[in-house]
Amino acid sequence: MNEFGTELIRQIRALDQFGNWSRISDDELLIKKYVKTKEDLKTIPLIADIDEMLTNDIKMIYKALALAFERKTGVVCNVIMEMSHEGFGRCAVIADRICIVDKYFKDAHRFGFRTLEALFEDGDKHLANAIAVYEQYQPCKNQG
């Protein structure tokens, strides 16, 4: 498991107050929360309201990304997410004064990945891009 996946599991396990997921392996837990097959997507309507639990699961991905970034760089991040009840929204991860991740959502009630590997690859891609953006704009953080 990569750095992003490790942070995501830490986030999920930290929120398990009653030990409901303690008997479930890390891979099974991630698959249950984030992997949606074609058959799963067929059962989800095209237009629907998003529930709060799914909104929190999506935000947890970006919190894990922010924590992985913090561990690599030592720079504290903040995750800001706003989501309408219809599944339209935006998530931003901010380090210092620099927005290192900016993601728009449409139909967030259908959010998911086809495989666990796709989840990890997406996390790695976002983490690498976040570090590159931060390094590119780091000289500008003290201006203004």
Side-chain angles (χ1 to χ4, degrees):
M1 191 175 297
N2 59 13
E3 296 171 31
F4 166 75
T6 303
E7 287 299 334
L8 186 55
I9 283 294
R10 285 181 185 154
Q11 289 290 302
I12 294 170
R13 298 277 186 206
L15 293 177
D16 185 20
Q17 298 174 356
F18 303 108
N20 294 329
W21 302 319
S22 63
R23 294 186 181 102
I24 300 174
S25 73
D26 293 346
D27 288 347
E28 287 179 67
L29 186 55
L30 290 174
I31 288 170
K32 183 177 180 179
K33 285 190 161 291
Y34 296 111
V35 175
K36 292 183 182 168
T37 63
K38 284 184 178 182
E39 292 76 29
D40 294 337
L41 290 175
K42 287 179 183 176
T43 63
I44 301 172
L46 292 175
I47 299 173
D49 287 348
I50 186 170
D51 65 339
E52 188 175 336
M53 184 177 257
L54 182 56
T55 302
N56 290 336
D57 286 344
I58 294 170
K59 188 173 184 178
M60 199 174 309
I61 287 178
Y62 292 94
K63 284 182 177 181
L65 181 66
L67 285 170
F69 179 88
E70 288 178 14
R71 287 190 194 277
K72 275 193 160 279
T73 63
V75 178
V76 178
C77 296
N78 190 13
V79 178
I80 301 166
M81 184 169 167
E82 185 173 336
M83 185 76 65
S84 75
H85 67 91
E86 295 172 328
F88 295 95
R90 183 179 191 180
C91 184
V93 181
I94 299 171
D96 287 332
R97 299 173 71 181
I98 302 168
C99 182
I100 57 173
V101 176
D102 188 16
K103 175 75 174 166
Y104 291 94
F105 294 98
K106 177 182 149 188
D107 299 332
H109 64 283
R110 297 173 60 88
F111 179 83
F113 299 90
R114 292 292 172 97
T115 64
L116 197 55
E117 291 77 26
L119 170 65
F120 293 149
E121 287 173 15
D122 190 61
D124 279 344
K125 181 184 76 172
H126 279 302
L127 182 59
N129 287 343
I131 291 170
V133 166
Y134 185 78
E135 288 173 354
Q136 179 181 357
Y137 293 104
Q138 189 175 9
C140 303
K141 73 177 184 180
N142 295 325
Q143 295 179 359

